[in-house]
Amino acid sequence: PEIRNLSELRRLQLAKNRITLISDEIGDLKDLKELKLSENNIRVIPATIGDLIHLEILDLSLNEITLLP
């Protein structure tokens, strides 16, 4: 499913999945409180992550981040 269809999602745990890209649609998850994306291959964090106004926990550790919004 498209990520925007998961509008009531509260927790998203995708650690250790070899993810390289976070979709701009991540910002559509307005009710998200916890986002764990550690130990992937993420390099860029989309600016739309700032739309997650209820986010309390963000784990991006052990990635290859080179650009922050």
Side-chain angles (χ1 to χ4, degrees):
E2 291 187 25
I3 200 165
R4 67 175 52 108
N5 294 334
L6 304 172
S7 61
E8 295 183 20
L9 190 67
R10 303 283 190 273
R11 296 176 62 202
L12 183 58
Q13 163 60 286
L14 294 171
K16 299 181 183 178
N17 277 287
R18 299 183 184 162
I19 296 170
T20 58
L21 178 68
I22 302 172
S23 170
D24 286 337
E25 291 180 1
I26 194 76
D28 293 336
L29 301 177
K30 302 295 184 192
D31 290 331
L32 198 65
K33 291 184 177 214
E34 183 176 320
L35 178 58
K36 294 187 176 182
L37 296 169
S38 62
E39 297 184 58
N40 283 292
N41 297 312
I42 299 166
R43 292 181 180 266
V44 177
I45 306 302
T48 56
I49 207 161
D51 296 336
L52 303 176
I53 59 173
H54 296 288
L55 194 64
E56 297 173 0
I57 298 171
L58 175 61
D59 186 355
L60 295 168
S61 60
L62 301 174
N63 277 286
E64 301 173 11
I65 298 170
T66 58
L67 184 62
L68 293 172

